[in-house]
Amino acid sequence: MSYQTNTSQPGASPAGLSSSDRWREWVDRHAGTFFIAPAVSLILIFAIFPTIYSMVFALSRVRFTGDGLKFRYVGLRNFEKQFFGSSEVHFLGRTEPFSIFGMLVFAVIVVAVLWWLYRSWKTATWVRMLGRSISAAMAIFLGYILCASLLSGNAIGTLYTTLFYVLVGCFVQFVIGTGLAFLCSQPIRGRNFFRVLFFIPLMVTPLGVGFAMRMIADVTKGPFEPILGVLGLQDWVWSASPWSARFVMMICDSWQWIPFIFICMLAALENVPRDHVEAAQVDGASSFHIFREVTWPQVVPVAVTVLLIRAIEAFKIMDLPNIMTGGGPGSSTESMTLHSVYVWRANDMGSSAAIAYLLLILTVVVCASFFNYVVLGQIRKTRA
Amino acid sequence: MSGAHTKFDLQNRGLLEKMFEPPAVGKMAPVAKIVVYSFLAIWSLFVLFPIYWVIITSFKDAAAVNQGPSYFPFVDFQPTLDAWRINFTADPYCDMAAIARQLYLLAHNSVAFVLSPVVTIPPMEPQICKIYLAFTNSVVISIISTIFCVAVGSMAAYALARIQYRPKFGNIMIFVLLIVGVILATTYAGVPWWMSSAVALALFFFLARALGRHFKMSLGNGDILFWMISQRILPPIVVVVPLYVMFQAVRLLDTHLALILLYAVANLPIVVWLMHDFFANLPIELEESAQLDGATRFGIFWEIVMPLTRPGLAATTLLILVLNWNEYLFAVFLSTVKVQTMPIMVAAKNTGEKGVLWWEMCAVTVVMIIPVIIMAVLLTRFISKGVLLGAVKG
């Protein structure tokens, strides 16, 4: 890409070429730059630059003064606080005491991860080995926190609350969404009607979903109040216990996101050639067998890609817990985004940026691992 | 079938077989049909009930809500328009001319902003009630930002599908180092941001020209595409505080321009991802023959390529429009008074002194979700034709 042009001098141009022609020609010669420059510069200015700038926040103590922000470099202290300091319980959960069961599970996890790493030791190049080591380190870290907090009977922090929304939420949404898509892909009447109807929740504002769900889940004014009365649960409040609050949150998130899985999987299922299915039917295969042997292998690449997209969006969850519980009871429904927002409101901008950065690292490592080991593997398998 | 296979022999079947066996290939057995329809009906209820509840609550008053649940208008509660009146007509400035006035204000302020280096025109202050202000803001911001985003994104996607790029790895490293230098100089040494970035930009062009030819490693189109799409992974919370500081430095806080730019950047990865797939699947012969006829790249792009991808373009535009309409995090951080959007209006109903005013909030929510539902119906027509499927297949 060179910016040199020798037609810019008047009089040097060949006869018959007006200046507007020359201008057109110059633009056309550099069309490659003009096509991509707006997108690249937008991303550089509004995504890459702030991401690097955010690191300065995370490494500093930030104060508001009369003439703007004042930064004082404090090293990794903001990150240290999340792992060993004052907000350890908030972020990681309680990790003491470590129960015997937790230790056993942790040992199994470590052995499995190291075995996986050892197996790829001989074949992989050093770049891939580096990637695998990062994935393995993340897996061991997450495994340690899981065993020390949840499996030892302790409370979990915002890290595992986020992961709960992502992992359990994605699983539930994927199963229900794919099931609905399978039902809708059957030769039935009114398929288009159901398609439009089931798609709607995805488009509704997440805030609106939060309010609607909060209203519906209200135990005194909500529509299920008589049902709870019949079941003898008048005094039960879902928002008072951490796990029921998390599950309600996950169900409401699913109401919104199942349509996404549904619509993508339905398009994929309809793309499976009908004559394959009908040939299997003529051969007398049961519908379960047809699904497992004919349909499923053809939609797996789409399925894993859809899961990846869903997981990427799920890491950003914020509106629902903010509206429905405000993160409570305590901090048990706070996602990491919400955690960061609350810390920011408490004027601790350094810690807020540090938590946001930890979320970025977590998202990138988990999604990149999933992409490399699952999505690419499936795509290669179907291409081969 | 010609009766060759006994399984599909329609005449000699018992009652059970009639119930559980499909009558023909590609049809369903009656029992299976009932099961499928009942599952779909249950799910329809699950989908529709929250929306129904929001709509009926917007026609209740305080008493009807606080008494406990009531389900059907005219049967167990008397619907009123109170909530709608409070939201849309109670404010002194709320009338139908308000929207026109708001549009005039926008035009006036845009002209004032563009001319601000030359002459100083005092910007008009908003004079109309909040809900109309928020509605016009939402409409203007999401439409302009969508058009901008789709235009920029599809240009980049087209270029990545057709033109070879070989950015040098060394140049990219120089650029990143210069960004770090700008940030350190601005935050810790107190250099004005415009000075440090101008120096860095000049340095970059100088160094890239001087050293560029010595770098060997370079990236390809696939890397650029992956880089652009992977921007979607970035959680908005990471960038929102630095963006606040940046927009404050250039005095763009609480303006339409800031939100338009940010919404466009946030959705750029989706546009590039979807549109790249459409462009890559177009036959290249058409463009080659146009090039032989002397058409420029821009001419080919606007007159030949864009019309060919019209369904994909429409589907992408609708999707981005909905995402922009619903965006909340950027709006709540970067707008204070003038550019409040509808999601902020909805969220504001959460913090009344008298507790949550469900009925008022529901009226605002209904106004927010009606356009979105219309767009969803339009969008499913494209999706059902498999328009957006290609990209998902990767």
Side-chain angles (χ1 to χ4, degrees):
Chain A
M1 278 185 275
S2 150
Y3 290 87
Q4 276 177 335
T5 163
N6 49 14
T7 54
S8 58
Q9 289 164 352
S13 64
L17 225 62
S18 71
S19 79
S20 82
D21 276 347
R22 247 183 291 130
W23 165 242
R24 251 190 67 181
E25 197 197 316
W26 184 83
V27 168
D28 195 37
R29 191 135 28 86
H30 297 284
T33 315
F34 286 122
F35 265 112
I36 206 163
V40 170
S41 40
L42 274 180
I43 293 181
L44 284 178
I45 297 172
F46 295 108
I48 301 296
F49 182 80
T51 311
I52 301 175
Y53 197 10
S54 187
M55 201 59 189
V56 174
F57 278 80
L59 296 177
S60 314
R61 234 184 95 89
V62 187
R63 280 181 304 118
F64 281 107
T65 58
D67 47 293
L69 297 169
K70 281 273 170 289
F71 293 87
R72 193 163 60 79
Y73 180 76
V74 292
L76 289 174
R77 212 165 297 160
N78 286 324
F79 290 96
E80 207 183 318
K81 202 157 86 181
Q82 313 307 323
F83 290 105
F84 310 106
S86 55
S87 58
E88 182 195 339
V89 173
H90 194 172
F91 178 59
L92 298 175
R94 283 195 189 285
T95 49
E96 317 255 316
F98 206 157
S99 71
I100 306 286
F101 174 66
M103 280 181 194
L104 284 177
V105 177
F106 180 57
V108 172
I109 290 174
V110 170
V111 169
V113 169
L114 290 180
W115 171 246
W116 172 76
L117 207 57
Y118 170 77
R119 262 185 46 206
S120 56
W121 185 261
K122 285 156 199 162
T123 53
T125 59
W126 69 271
V127 177
R128 289 179 84 184
M129 207 56 220
L130 186 70
R132 289 186 174 214
S133 313
I134 294 173
S135 302
M138 181 59 93
I140 289 178
F141 169 73
L142 290 179
Y144 171 73
I145 301 297
L146 178 72
C147 298
S149 58
L150 185 63
L151 298 183
S152 302
N154 299 320
I156 62 174
T158 52
L159 172 68
Y160 257 96
T161 308
T162 310
L163 282 173
F164 170 78
Y165 294 144
V166 174
L167 301 177
V168 180
C170 281
F171 177 74
V172 168
Q173 288 153 27
F174 184 75
V175 169
I176 298 180
T178 310
L180 285 173
F182 182 67
L183 292 182
C184 243
S185 72
Q186 300 300 314
I188 54 166
R189 220 174 287 163
R191 217 195 302 185
N192 275 328
F193 168 74
F194 286 117
R195 200 201 308 261
V196 174
L197 185 64
F198 292 175
F199 184 58
I200 287 172
L202 184 63
M203 302 276 112
V204 175
T205 320
L207 281 172
V209 176
F211 276 123
M213 292 301 174
R214 187 167 152 199
M215 234 166 16
I216 285 168
D218 195 302
V219 280
T220 54
K221 298 167 203 162
F224 297 121
E225 189 257 333
I227 299 175
L228 290 176
V230 170
L231 294 174
L233 288 169
Q234 298 96 323
D235 302 328
W236 178 71
V237 184
W238 59 267
S239 58
S241 111
W243 278 106
S244 65
R246 277 181 205 127
F247 267 100
V248 168
M249 209 69 66
M250 196 215 41
I251 291 167
C252 299
D253 193 39
S254 302
W255 184 83
Q256 176 150 48
W257 281 96
I258 283 172
F260 173 71
I261 311 264
F262 163 79
I263 209 87
C264 293
M265 291 307 288
L266 182 56
L269 286 171
E270 283 177 342
N271 243 27
V272 174
R274 280 224 76 80
D275 39 345
H276 290 197
V277 177
E278 283 170 7
Q281 229 171 22
V282 172
D283 287 347
S286 71
S287 39
F288 175 72
H289 262 101
I290 294 174
F291 183 73
R292 215 185 62 184
E293 306 291 339
V294 181
T295 317
W296 183 243
Q298 300 201 39
V299 297
V300 168
V302 178
V304 286
T305 315
V306 167
L307 258 181
L308 177 69
I309 301 170
R310 174 64 201 116
I312 288 174
E313 297 298 316
F315 272 109
K316 303 175 186 168
I317 181 172
M318 171 215 173
D319 312 37
L320 266 183
N322 186 18
I323 292 296
M324 288 186 66
T325 57
S331 64
S332 53
T333 52
E334 261 179 54
S335 64
M336 278 171 77
T337 303
L338 199 56
H339 185 181
S340 175
V341 171
Y342 285 158
V343 173
W344 184 75
R345 287 214 185 120
N347 268 334
D348 188 355
M349 293 169 89
S351 293
S352 168
I355 295 164
Y357 242 90
L358 291 172
L359 175 64
L360 176 65
I361 295 168
L362 178 75
T363 314
V364 168
V365 173
V366 171
C367 292
S369 308
F370 186 77
F371 180 75
N372 275 322
Y373 311 132
V374 181
V375 178
L376 281 186
Q378 286 299 339
I379 289 174
R380 260 185 231 122
K381 211 186 281 175
T382 37
R383 293 237 171 102
Chain B
M1 295 312 304
S2 69
H5 206 286
T6 46
K7 190 168 175 159
F8 295 103
D9 187 358
L10 283 179
Q11 269 72 47
N12 311 315
R13 299 208 302 179
L15 180 66
L16 273 182
E17 274 182 19
K18 259 185 200 158
M19 295 300 285
F20 285 98
E21 297 291 338
V25 171
K27 294 260 176 66
M28 292 177 73
V31 171
K33 218 173 222 174
I34 290 168
V35 171
V36 167
Y37 272 120
S38 49
F39 269 112
L40 292 180
I42 291 170
W43 193 261
S44 306
L45 275 183
F46 186 71
V47 164
L48 281 180
F49 186 72
I51 298 173
Y52 169 76
W53 193 255
V54 168
I55 293 174
I56 62 163
T57 308
S58 74
F59 292 107
K60 291 178 181 176
D61 54 12
V65 171
N66 289 329
Q67 267 163 17
S70 47
Y71 302 89
F72 304 102
F74 300 110
V75 178
D76 52 7
F77 74 93
Q78 196 58 39
T80 65
L81 282 172
D82 280 2
W84 293 82
R85 248 178 244 128
I86 291 168
N87 273 318
F88 295 99
T89 56
D91 216 302
Y93 292 109
C94 285
D95 51 26
M96 285 321 284
I99 292 179
R101 220 156 37 215
Q102 172 63 10
L103 287 175
Y104 173 72
L105 172 130
L106 265 179
H108 178 97
N109 284 0
S110 314
V111 171
F113 177 75
V114 171
L115 294 181
S116 59
V118 191
V119 282
T120 316
I121 303 171
M124 267 170 75
E125 291 305 318
Q127 282 267 303
I128 62 169
C129 76
K130 273 184 154 179
I131 189 90
Y132 286 128
L133 180 71
F135 195 82
T136 30
N137 279 341
S138 259
V139 170
V140 167
I141 291 175
S142 40
I143 288 179
I144 295 181
S145 158
T146 304
I147 293 171
F148 180 61
C149 177
V150 171
V152 168
S154 39
M155 266 164 65
Y158 174 72
L160 287 174
R162 289 290 186 257
I163 304 171
Q164 278 301 316
Y165 291 93
R166 306 205 66 77
K168 293 270 167 61
F169 191 67
N171 285 350
I172 297 170
M173 288 325 287
I174 292 178
F175 194 83
V176 171
L177 284 179
L178 284 173
I179 291 183
V180 174
V182 167
I183 291 170
L184 292 182
T186 318
T187 48
Y188 293 121
V191 183
W193 63 270
W194 48 268
M195 193 191 283
S196 55
S197 24
V199 169
L201 213 59
L203 258 179
F204 172 69
F205 279 111
F206 174 73
L207 287 176
R209 291 294 294 278
L211 303 176
R213 77 195 69 183
H214 301 297
F215 296 125
K216 288 283 178 300
M217 260 172 83
S218 63
L219 305 175
N221 280 15
D223 300 305
I224 305 178
L225 186 67
F226 185 77
W227 173 71
M228 282 191 178
I229 295 172
S230 67
Q231 293 308 315
R232 189 70 195 170
I233 294 182
L234 186 71
I237 187 70
V238 176
V239 292
V240 79
V241 175
L243 282 172
Y244 180 89
V245 177
M246 280 166 64
F247 280 120
Q248 201 178 31
V250 293
R251 308 229 171 112
L252 277 180
L253 221 51
D254 201 22
T255 58
H256 292 82
L257 185 63
L259 287 188
I260 288 171
L261 284 172
L262 281 187
Y263 288 12
V265 176
N267 294 321
L268 206 55
I270 302 179
V271 177
V272 171
W273 180 50
L274 294 175
M275 294 307 291
H276 179 266
D277 190 70
F278 299 131
F279 292 137
N281 286 336
L282 286 181
I284 199 167
E285 289 78 21
L286 213 57
E287 292 157 57
E288 279 172 348
S289 62
Q291 209 161 21
L292 286 181
D293 290 345
T296 60
R297 278 253 176 227
F298 280 99
I300 294 172
F301 178 66
W302 282 119
E303 280 153 32
I304 297 173
V305 175
M306 285 305 247
L308 280 177
T309 50
R310 205 174 286 146
L313 202 64
T316 312
T317 310
L318 274 176
L319 185 69
I320 304 300
L321 200 56
V322 172
L323 289 175
N324 283 339
W325 180 256
N326 290 341
E327 158 62 46
Y328 173 62
L329 188 69
F330 285 137
V332 81
F333 269 80
L334 295 172
S335 72
T336 46
V337 187
K338 277 184 276 168
V339 291
Q340 292 216 324
T341 54
M342 284 300 277
I344 297 184
M345 287 305 291
V346 177
K349 297 283 173 197
N350 197 14
T351 50
E353 309 87 61
K354 293 164 264 171
V356 184
L357 306 168
W358 292 124
W359 48 98
E360 285 185 28
M361 187 223 72
C362 283
V364 185
T365 311
V366 170
V367 172
M368 258 211 91
I369 64 179
I370 283 173
V372 172
I373 289 179
I374 294 168
M375 285 192 272
V377 174
L378 289 176
L379 190 53
T380 24
R381 286 191 49 205
F382 289 111
I383 293 177
S384 67
K385 290 179 201 149
V387 168
L388 294 178
L389 182 66
V392 180
K393 279 197 272 189

